[in-house]
Amino acid sequence: MLAAQGASRRATPLSPDDRRTAIIDAVLPLVGEFGLDVTSRELADAAGVAEGTLFRAFGDKLTLIGAVAVEGLHRASGPVETRAELAAIDREAPLEERLERVIELGRRRMSDVVRWMGVLRALHHRTGARDMVPSEHVQDFRAQLATQREQQREATVAGLIGVLQPDEHRLRVPIEVAVALLEASIAGTHGRVDHLLPAPSPRVVADALVHGIARTDTDTDTGGTAGGPPTAEKDQDRDPAATENHPGATPRTPHPQEP
């Protein structure tokens, strides 16, 4: 009787698809950190299964890494997640704080996309997968990803408009222009192949977007605009990256908002 009761309490075995999904969820952070250098033993330990289970589910380690990278790329480009994250930003928080959060989220998503694209690129180089995968499958994947990225783009624009709307009456430009500037400030922190200065912190960028980088004629000599923080022209408000590595530049006091 006890044996029968114990058997009835046992979890229902996972289907092959559910097993693969569970493994991908468990090892995704590990693959994101180590890419192709992760070992089968490390993957099995992270998933809480034997190495043989991994091989039965995916065939080999590189196939598993490819499946994880594809899933990671889809998650980084997910319109539903993007919409939810932007909707969760407190609309009653100061505009600077809202924009800081937007920039943090945008940078993280872009970093995730770059990371997973890098894993897939390394996988192609390692295995010659471009020749092994049927071209129609590659085209289908690219088409699906392009559609998802476009949906994410629409969700992002709608979400950013929602973040800005409580202060729309304060904007000096149309809200669509403000959205474009905000997106550009996020996109400009990646693909820095021309030895550009390190990207300022999200807080510094948000402050510059709201208050500008130059004084106006109405600013005083001792502080920035009325009701706002000191302007970026003051030494104590400069991002240290603004002068670093420039020949002849005078070292500046680190920005108090920098981490």
Side-chain angles (χ1 to χ4, degrees):
M1 177 68 72
L2 290 177
Q5 290 177 349
S8 67
R9 295 193 187 100
R10 291 173 186 168
T12 302
L14 295 175
S15 68
D17 286 344
D18 289 340
R19 169 73 68 183
R20 284 190 287 269
T21 298
I23 291 173
I24 288 174
D25 286 341
V27 306
L28 194 144
L30 195 64
V31 176
E33 182 176 358
F34 297 104
L36 273 60
D37 293 330
V38 67
T39 67
S40 297
R41 179 72 265 166
E42 291 169 335
L43 291 169
D45 288 344
V49 299
E51 289 184 68
T53 301
L54 294 183
F55 299 143
R56 284 192 296 273
F58 293 94
D60 56 52
K61 185 188 83 168
L62 294 182
T63 300
L64 168 58
I65 290 177
V68 171
V70 168
E71 177 62 22
L73 191 57
H74 277 301
R75 293 186 185 186
S77 305
V80 175
E81 294 82 357
T82 298
R83 187 177 296 108
E85 286 179 343
L86 293 175
I89 295 176
D90 184 4
R91 300 301 194 260
E92 296 184 0
L95 180 58
E96 295 87 345
E97 292 182 13
R98 278 178 272 146
L99 297 192
E100 179 184 354
R101 182 59 179 153
V102 165
I103 294 168
E104 290 173 345
L105 293 172
R107 287 184 178 182
R108 192 201 71 206
R109 284 199 170 271
M110 288 196 66
S111 294
D112 287 346
V113 169
V114 171
R115 176 184 302 111
W116 295 119
M117 288 296 293
V119 173
L120 288 173
R121 190 175 298 111
L123 191 62
H124 282 310
H125 289 313
R126 176 77 63 87
T127 66
R130 293 184 185 278
D131 299 325
M132 297 169 56
V133 179
S135 59
E136 61 270 18
H137 292 175
V138 174
Q139 292 173 358
D140 288 345
F141 170 71
R142 289 175 175 171
Q144 292 172 7
L145 187 61
T147 298
Q148 187 178 35
R149 293 299 299 273
E150 180 58 31
Q151 292 172 346
Q152 185 194 38
R153 160 76 177 152
E154 294 173 357
T156 298
V157 170
L160 294 182
I161 289 176
V163 168
L164 290 167
Q165 275 180 335
D167 287 89
E168 186 173 6
H169 62 284
R170 296 175 54 197
L171 301 180
R172 297 177 56 243
V173 296
I175 196 167
E176 293 80 7
V177 174
V179 167
L181 291 172
L182 187 51
E183 288 187 307
S185 70
I186 296 171
T189 63
H190 293 270
R192 308 176 74 82
V193 297
D194 295 325
H195 305 291
L196 302 180
L197 293 173
S201 73
R203 182 174 298 180
V204 170
V205 175
D207 180 83
L209 285 172
V210 175
H211 300 287
I213 61 172
R215 290 183 178 182
T216 67
D217 293 339
T218 59
D219 290 337
T220 67
D221 291 334
T222 58
T225 56
T231 59
E233 187 174 342
K234 300 294 289 182
D235 288 353
Q236 66 268 26
D237 281 345
R238 284 186 182 271
D239 178 10
T243 55
E244 186 178 348
N245 299 329
H246 280 267
T250 302
R252 299 291 184 177
T253 303
H255 195 297
Q257 296 176 330
E258 285 287 86

